[in-house]
Amino acid sequence: MTAPGVRDAGYDDFVDALAEGEGYYLECENGHGTLPPRRVCPHCGSRELVETALPETGTIDSYTVVHVAAPAFADDVPYAVAVADFGAVRLTGQLQSDLDAVETGLTVAPRVGKSETTGERLLTFELR
Amino acid sequence: MTNVRVAGVGLTHFGRHPERTSRDLFAEAGLAALDDAGVDRDDVEGVYYGNFMGALAEHQGHQGPLAAEALGVDAPATRYESACASSGVALRQAVKDVRNGEADVLVVGGAERMNNLETAESTEALAIAADELYEVRAGVTFPGAYAMMANAYFEEFGGSHEDLAHVAVKNHENAVGNEHAQYQKEITVEDVLESPPVAEPLNLYDACPVTDGASAVVLVSEDYANDHDVEAPVAVTGTGQGGDNMALQDRDDMATSPAATDAAAEAYAEAGVTAADVDFAEVHDCFTIAEVLAVESLGFFETGEGVAAARRGVTTRDGDLPVNLSGGLKAKGHPVGATGTSQVAELTRLLRGDHHNSEYVAAADVAVAHNAGGTVASAVVHVLEVER
């Protein structure tokens, strides 16, 4: 496993910012959005990536309710996971409440939550 | 450039063999393939070996030399890893090397041992085929990722879980009589719809099982076959590979699999065929929705039309375009690293006429194998043709 205190540079910085309510994504000059760490836009090859404020809300593109989980989420089941559209970028996150209400097209806000099983932080969505 | 021939194929039983090492599984399949080919082991110039999770399941890296050793072959050997497409990409490399004259005799195959792990551990091992940062950390499992693709498909094109259930029913029906298959029993649409949920809308019976097993094929050049009187009527006439963004969130569309579309276009062009020329196929149905995406990417159906193919009887064994006559990953089983070459082994036997379902494709001469890695971030397609 990873040695204590070692972070995933870029990605953990993004999660830190999101936890502070200052989420961002990387946008290239052609309007493609991705999450860090990136040195190049995977869609067009641009190397001009600019940290851009993440919109406060997005809409659910697709989702599932997971009943059989990996050990890291064994005590979290059932839980919903969704891909949500924030314009230039899409994010994947967990809905930890409102499980029965989840459906495509709903408005969500990105948050940072925790796995009930391990206490590890993860990207979550809150229904708005 | 030379014609690439399939001289022999070998498979273990696919099923629960938790106590058998992958090296033993591969030895059984590889030796069977060499025996089937009638090729001297001293003539083997390389072993191309597919495996996905052996580093986790068996604490074993550097598996290539082990694979060669398992066959008693003294030749360079390399492990290929592209998740569930591992032996498919191994085969593609071998086809190119034989075609380009780099080698005359190669053994290609794969093996996976999975049932020695607890279900939660194998779920975790399979999940590493997804993007660790963007998907796995949020709790996306492998079935969960395909479940999101299924919901995206339903949203975009329609279709129902009942349509998907027909895929599972068809593939179970095809596996009855396949001695290599994990499940040699029929199921009903109700069985699928009433089985426990794994990741909604997918239930347990929408998913392939956790499988131990191995497969191998012996590829030879046409010259070698002629010089050594090797009977090898089946040729690999086209190979193609496509790629896509790893995480679903970074793709334009979650309801299609463009990597497989690209792979098919390349393989068809090499073989000089079109989708309309294909008589039957083995496709990567790790989940019922995956078969739908596959048959659309292969050009058998328009996008959005593939979901009803099994229910309408088009892809059943009596239909115009039988799909997964082996039972597919769903019923035959999915020992991840072995699947790509097992598909080609099944197609070869179907084309040679020594498969339990050969009667359904007696006049066929063009077949296709579609092998996908992860949520089709990798896809490999091969075209096989038989001389009758």
Side-chain angles (χ1 to χ4, degrees):
Chain A
M1 296 310 290
T2 310
V6 176
R7 291 157 50 91
D8 289 312
Y11 183 77
D12 278 325
D13 301 326
F14 153 75
V15 179
D16 287 347
L18 186 59
E20 296 294 320
E22 293 169 2
Y24 57 85
Y25 64 98
L26 303 178
E27 186 169 334
C28 73
E29 72 262 36
N30 294 312
H32 303 129
T34 52
L35 292 184
R38 303 270 181 191
R39 287 170 187 260
V40 59
C41 172
H43 301 288
C44 66
S46 165
R47 296 188 188 188
E48 303 299 319
L49 304 181
V50 178
E51 286 185 8
T52 306
L54 192 64
E56 285 177 16
T57 60
T59 56
I60 292 179
D61 258 4
S62 193
Y63 70 95
T64 181
V65 177
V66 174
H67 292 266
V68 179
F73 293 99
D75 300 336
D76 293 66
V77 291
Y79 58 87
V81 172
V83 173
D85 188 343
F86 291 82
V89 68
R90 294 197 291 185
L91 306 182
T92 306
Q94 215 175 91
L95 284 111
Q96 297 184 312
S97 54
D98 308 311
L99 207 61
D100 296 331
V102 60
E103 60 181 88
T104 301
L106 290 182
T107 301
V108 293
R111 299 280 185 261
V112 177
K114 263 191 220 177
S115 157
E116 279 180 34
T117 312
T118 62
E120 293 286 325
R121 64 184 186 167
L122 71 153
L123 207 152
T124 60
F125 294 137
E126 190 179 287
L127 285 184
R128 300 307 294 272
Chain B
M1 296 239 296
T2 178
N3 220 335
V4 184
R5 300 271 170 179
V6 183
V9 303
L11 295 165
T12 65
H13 175 256
F14 280 15
R16 284 185 57 85
H17 304 289
E19 297 184 354
R20 289 185 64 185
T21 60
S22 58
R23 69 181 88 183
D24 176 60
L25 291 164
F26 184 65
E28 181 188 342
L31 292 173
L34 284 168
D35 290 348
D36 184 41
V39 166
D40 190 331
R41 72 182 177 92
D42 291 335
D43 287 353
V44 176
E45 294 161 278
V47 176
Y48 296 33
Y49 178 73
N51 175 272
F52 169 56
M53 53 191 264
L56 294 172
E58 297 190 279
H59 203 245
Q60 185 65 63
H62 202 186
Q63 296 168 29
L66 272 181
E69 199 178 316
L71 305 184
V73 164
D74 181 14
T78 306
R79 170 200 174 196
Y80 288 80
E81 193 275 306
S82 283
C84 314
S86 293
S87 56
V89 297
L91 180 75
R92 173 171 162 75
Q93 189 59 51
V95 167
K96 289 183 176 193
D97 288 351
V98 172
R99 182 195 282 163
N100 293 331
E102 299 280 344
D104 284 309
V105 181
L106 295 172
V107 177
V108 196
E112 207 74 59
R113 182 186 187 187
M114 304 173 73
N115 280 295
N116 59 328
L117 301 178
E118 304 271 0
T119 301
E121 289 177 320
S122 57
T123 300
E124 182 175 43
L126 288 167
I128 69 171
D131 190 310
E132 164 65 20
L133 293 182
Y134 308 147
E135 294 182 318
V136 179
R137 286 192 190 180
V140 175
T141 58
F142 194 46
Y146 270 97
M148 286 197 281
M149 295 170 92
N151 274 333
Y153 187 99
F154 291 159
E155 186 74 22
E156 200 164 334
F157 305 118
S160 66
H161 191 199
E162 192 170 336
D163 288 329
L164 297 184
H166 281 272
V167 173
V169 169
K170 166 181 72 69
N171 293 347
H172 271 261
E173 182 179 40
N174 289 342
V176 175
N178 184 348
E179 59 179 322
H180 302 291
Q182 186 158 358
Y183 296 134
Q184 298 170 42
K185 61 164 190 181
E186 295 194 30
I187 60 170
T188 65
V189 168
E190 289 69 34
D191 289 336
V192 180
L193 297 178
E194 290 166 11
S195 62
V198 174
E200 298 175 30
L202 302 178
N203 288 351
L204 186 62
Y205 281 24
D206 286 283
C208 64
V210 175
T211 309
D212 310 302
S215 66
V217 304
V218 178
L219 294 186
V220 299
S221 64
E222 191 171 15
D223 289 346
Y224 181 92
N226 292 338
D227 293 347
H228 294 76
D229 290 324
V230 173
E231 200 177 329
V234 175
V236 182
T237 56
T239 177
Q241 184 172 352
D244 205 342
N245 294 106
M246 187 83 159
L248 293 174
Q249 68 183 33
D250 289 320
R251 300 190 195 163
D252 294 336
D253 184 3
M254 282 187 275
T256 58
S257 52
T261 309
D262 293 346
E266 185 181 5
Y268 292 165
E270 282 192 6
V273 301
T274 68
D277 297 317
V278 177
D279 296 308
F280 65 102
E282 288 285 310
V283 310
H284 199 95
D285 59 323
C286 47
F287 299 95
T288 47
I289 183 66
E291 177 165 318
V292 174
L293 301 178
V295 295
E296 292 180 1
S297 283
L298 290 168
F300 303 155
F301 301 91
E302 295 291 324
T303 304
E305 301 291 323
V307 71
R311 180 170 55 75
R312 285 169 42 222
V314 183
T315 51
T316 55
R317 60 191 178 190
D318 294 312
D320 291 339
L321 182 67
V323 171
N324 284 329
L325 284 167
S326 69
L329 285 60
K330 173 71 195 84
K332 185 187 166 199
H334 181 30
V336 173
T339 287
T341 36
S342 84
Q343 294 175 319
V344 170
E346 297 278 356
L347 291 177
T348 298
R349 291 175 58 218
L350 284 158
L351 288 167
R352 293 193 313 207
D354 61 340
H355 191 280
H356 78 288
N357 276 332
S358 284
E359 64 184 286
Y360 297 102
V361 287
D365 41 37
V366 180
V368 161
H370 160 284
N371 186 202
T375 48
V376 208
S378 296
V380 197
V381 171
H382 286 95
V383 178
L384 275 65
E385 298 184 64
V386 67
E387 276 178 8
R388 293 195 182 273

